Amino acid sequence: MLQQKIPATVITGFLGAGKTTIIRNMLMNAGGKKIALIINEFGDLGVDGDVLKGCGADNCTEDDIIELTNGCICCTVADDFVPTMLKLLDRDVKPDHIVIETSGLALPQPLVAAFNWPDIRTRVTVDGVVTVVDSAAVAAGRFADDHDAVAAQRAEDDSLDHESPIEELFEDQLTCADLIVLNKADLLDAAGIAAVRAEVSGRTSRKPSMIEAKNGEVSSLVLLGIGASTEDDIANRKSHHELEHEALHASGEDHDHHHDHDEFESFVLKLGAIKDPADFIDSLKPVIEKHDILRLKGFIDVPGKPMRLVVQAVGTRIDTYFDRPWASGEKRETRIVVIGLHDWDFGAVVADVQAAAG
Ligand SMILES: Nc1nc2c(ncn2[C@@H]2O[C@H](COP(=O)(O)OP(=O)(O)OP(=O)(O)O)[C@@H](O)[C@H]2O)c(=O)[nH]1
């Protein structure tokens, strides 16, 4: 009898778009489906996995959450993703559905292409690629604000055929989508959302369905069960890098530009206890602005509080909430991961974040 393929949903989208939030909501409303999660993060702090383990869904236990932290999943497909997937498929109790959260800097294309590997193709299919968009960031020009600077750079240097790395990645993630979720709709009015919808449509030649969401609330009926078999269509969803590679190949030119994440950098900072988190957050905002920090997240040790405080910054929008008590035997410490563009002044960023912590 032919084995039924297990559906896998790929959740992608730029840093801080709301991927983990959508998955957390989905786990609470998955209608009894047993879900296995593969989580990939840029920056080796494992915040997303920890947040999802903390949500305690019966249909997705700690055992069902697998973290891939050896860099972006698109670059470690052969070494990391494929073996992990095969191990998951060999388990005695198979999941009903697999959900993969890519890092915010990952290209989904190489990941989807891996579903055509012989050992995987016969056992799993990509149910759909869901690209989550931070609508407020789009409205604020986050993915277009380098236009003038890049045009000026290009005018000076003919060899520059790249858009800004953020813009290029944003478009690559949209190009791969079966469903685009315009998340954080709560932060915009109707006209703002309409403008975001138009901008996002204009950035992909494909026309996937697009829905709006607030606080990552998307019905699991919509999220799981798209039935796209995306791996069969991956040749029509090429990234900028793949298209460039093909163009250079066709013109007979050498091609030594590898896809990598050299444009982005992250570091983990361990800080002491923070007595006044509100003051820390206030002091952090100008630091984020000054250094154009793209994402900052982690856990804060607040003296006298039995719970740990989660901090989540996407640009200068910063959320904090207590998620769970510090476990007995767990070392109480403040640990945060900071992600930015590689040309930042690393020493100054570290010093300024430390100074904000007091
Ligand atoms: N206002 C608002 N905030 C949201 C929404 N969805 C997510 N957030 C917040 O945005 C921040 C980032 O959300 P995450 O779900 O961690 O984003 P992510 O895409 O998983 O982030 P990375 O994995 O770091 O790329 C958190 O502080 C969330 O609470 C939304 O719809 N509205």
Side-chain angles (χ1 to χ4, degrees):
M1 196 181 77
L2 208 62
Q3 196 184 5
Q4 184 130 32
K5 291 187 187 181
I6 299 174
T9 297
V10 176
I11 313 269
T12 189
F14 194 67
L15 295 167
K19 300 177 289 297
T20 309
T21 309
I22 285 184
I23 292 173
R24 199 171 50 193
N25 275 310
M26 179 274 294
L27 289 180
M28 297 306 181
N29 302 289
K33 273 189 184 161
K34 184 172 170 53
I35 309 281
L37 281 182
I38 298 180
I39 314 241
N40 170 233
E41 253 188 289
F42 191 80
D44 45 8
L45 191 53
V47 178
D48 295 357
D50 224 75
V51 164
L52 290 167
K53 281 175 191 162
C55 79
D58 293 342
N59 51 346
C60 181
T61 64
E62 283 206 24
D63 242 13
D64 300 317
I65 301 180
I66 303 161
E67 292 175 81
L68 300 182
T69 51
N70 292 327
C72 268
I73 202 165
C74 52
C75 303
T76 58
V77 160
D79 296 335
D80 237 9
F81 172 69
V82 169
T84 301
M85 185 58 119
L86 290 174
K87 238 191 250 167
L88 180 61
L89 295 172
D90 285 341
R91 285 187 179 181
D92 290 338
V93 181
K94 313 267 186 268
D96 297 317
H97 204 110
I98 299 169
V99 173
I100 303 161
E101 178 182 351
T102 75
S103 93
L105 299 178
L107 293 181
Q109 283 85 350
L111 174 64
V112 173
F115 284 80
N116 283 320
W117 287 38
D119 287 353
I120 294 197
R121 186 172 172 79
T122 49
R123 302 163 76 187
V124 211
T125 179
V126 180
D127 181 53
V129 173
V130 177
T131 301
V132 185
V133 170
D134 180 338
S135 304
V138 173
R142 170 88 272 187
F143 304 100
D145 56 359
D146 292 324
H147 260 132
D148 293 346
V150 172
Q153 262 179 311
R154 271 201 209 121
E156 280 178 21
D157 180 355
D158 295 346
S159 66
L160 258 185
D161 51 5
H162 284 278
E163 295 177 78
S164 84
I166 295 178
E167 191 170 6
E168 197 170 289
L169 188 60
F170 179 62
E171 289 179 1
D172 287 343
Q173 292 175 337
L174 291 176
T175 297
C176 207
D178 293 294
L179 171 69
I180 295 175
V181 178
L182 302 179
N183 193 34
K184 306 198 186 179
D186 52 302
L187 299 176
L188 298 176
D189 59 14
I193 268 289
V196 169
R197 197 177 264 274
E199 170 157 4
V200 167
S201 291
R203 283 176 177 267
T204 165
S205 51
R206 298 182 55 256
K207 294 286 165 252
S209 323
M210 217 186 283
I211 56 168
E212 291 158 28
K214 296 177 180 170
N215 297 313
E217 287 161 13
V218 182
S219 160
S220 59
L221 294 173
V222 174
L223 215 54
L224 313 179
I226 296 174
S229 302
T230 316
E231 68 275 21
D232 294 338
D233 189 47
I234 195 61
N236 297 319
R237 306 185 185 197
K238 293 203 165 83
S239 64
H240 283 82
H241 174 75
E242 288 167 306
L243 292 170
E244 243 170 64
H245 182 89
E246 281 179 2
L248 284 170
H249 192 69
S251 68
E253 282 181 55
D254 275 349
H255 180 64
D256 61 359
H257 167 67
H258 299 285
H259 162 73
D260 52 35
H261 299 278
D262 281 356
E263 290 115 342
F264 301 94
E265 246 175 54
S266 76
F267 62 89
V268 173
L269 208 53
K270 287 188 184 172
L271 301 165
I274 293 182
K275 277 198 222 84
D276 187 345
D279 186 49
F280 173 52
I281 300 310
D282 281 348
S283 313
L284 207 50
K285 283 187 184 169
V287 176
I288 289 176
E289 206 148 29
K290 176 176 164 197
H291 297 289
D292 197 13
I293 291 173
L294 299 171
R295 187 83 166 99
L296 180 153
K297 57 184 173 177
F299 308 105
I300 297 179
D301 169 19
V302 187
K305 297 282 181 193
M307 310 266 283
R308 70 178 186 181
L309 187 68
V310 176
V311 58
Q312 294 267 10
V314 182
T316 52
R317 189 178 306 282
I318 307 181
D319 292 335
T320 55
Y321 61 94
F322 288 100
D323 78 325
R324 67 158 172 80
W326 292 98
S328 67
E330 182 180 13
K331 187 169 176 206
R332 290 181 66 123
E333 62 180 355
T334 300
R335 286 172 301 141
I336 51 178
V337 60
V338 186
I339 305 176
L341 285 164
H342 86 116
D343 53 3
W344 62 8
D345 179 346
F346 177 76
V349 181
V350 173
D352 286 351
V353 175
Q354 276 169 336

